Amino acid sequence: MDDVLSFARAIPLAFGALLPVVNPLGTAIILLGLTEDADVSTRARIAKAVSINTVLLLAAVLVAGRVVLGFFGISVPIVQLAGGLVLAAMGWQMLFNPDDPSSDTKASDARASDRRDYESQVFYPFTFPLTVGPGGVAVAITLSAHSTREHVMATVAAQLGSFVGILAVAVVTYLCLANAGRIAARLGASGMSVLIRLSAFVIVCLGAEICWSGARVLLRSLSVAG
C-alpha cells in the first residue's frame, strides 16, 4: 500500500515541479519564431522529436541523479533542502518577471545556428537548453533525491511515478509545440503573462514543500543526536 501511495504522490509532484520550468507555452512561442519558414508537418515532426528527447533526458537525470549524489557523498535531505530552495527561487523570479528571464538567452543561442537545418537542431538547441534547460535538470535531480525511500520497492515506485509525471510533461510539451501558431493567436501577450504567473506561484509552493521535506529530516536527526 505504501508503494502505491509513493507512486501516486510522485506523479503530480513531478508534473507540477517540471511543467513550469519546462514552460511548454513559452517554449512553443520561441520555437515558433525560430521555425517561421517551416510548414505545419515539419513543426509536428520537430515537436515529436523534441518531446521524445525531453523524456529521455529527464529520465536519464532522474535515474543517474542518485548515483551522482552517492559519488559525491551528498545526503538526500541536503539535496531536498537545496533543490527546494533553488526551485522556489526560480518560481519567485518567474512570478515577478513573467516573461521568462531565460527566454532571450535561449532564443539567441538557438538563432546562432542555421534556421533551415532543423533536423540537426532537434537536440541542441531545441531540446537543450530551449525546452529542458539547467533549471529542468536541477529539478530532475531534486526529484531523484526526493523519491529515495528506506525500502527499495518504495524508491522504485516513487521513481516510476516521477517518470509518469515526466511523460505527462512531454505530452503537454508536444501539444504546445505542435500547435504553437494556434496557441499564440488565441492567448495573446496578456494570456501568456497570466499563465506564467500562475505557474510561477505553483512552483514556489512546490519548492517550499520539497525544501521542508529535507529540513524536517535534518531537524529530526539533530533532535535524535541531541
Side-chain angles (χ1 to χ4, degrees), residues 99-116:
D99 295 327
D100 188 2
S102 60
S103 295
D104 293 338
T105 303
K106 290 178 179 179
S108 61
D109 289 343
R111 290 192 187 99
S113 52
D114 183 9
R115 287 189 169 193
R116 291 177 175 79

Side-chain angles (χ1 to χ4, degrees), residues 28-40:
I29 301 305
I30 297 174
L31 191 61
L32 180 64
L34 297 174
T35 59
E36 57 187 2
D37 57 342
D39 55 26
V40 176

Side-chain angles (χ1 to χ4, degrees), residues 38-86:
D39 55 26
V40 176
S41 61
T42 300
R43 285 205 186 98
R45 289 198 302 272
I46 293 173
K48 181 179 179 180
V50 169
S51 300
I52 293 174
N53 286 341
T54 297
V55 172
L56 295 177
L57 179 57
L58 290 176
V61 175
L62 180 70
V63 174
R66 294 178 60 220
V67 177
V68 173
L69 296 178
F71 178 79
F72 287 103
I74 303 174
S75 66
V76 171
I78 290 295
V79 176
Q80 288 178 314
L81 180 60
L85 288 173
V86 171

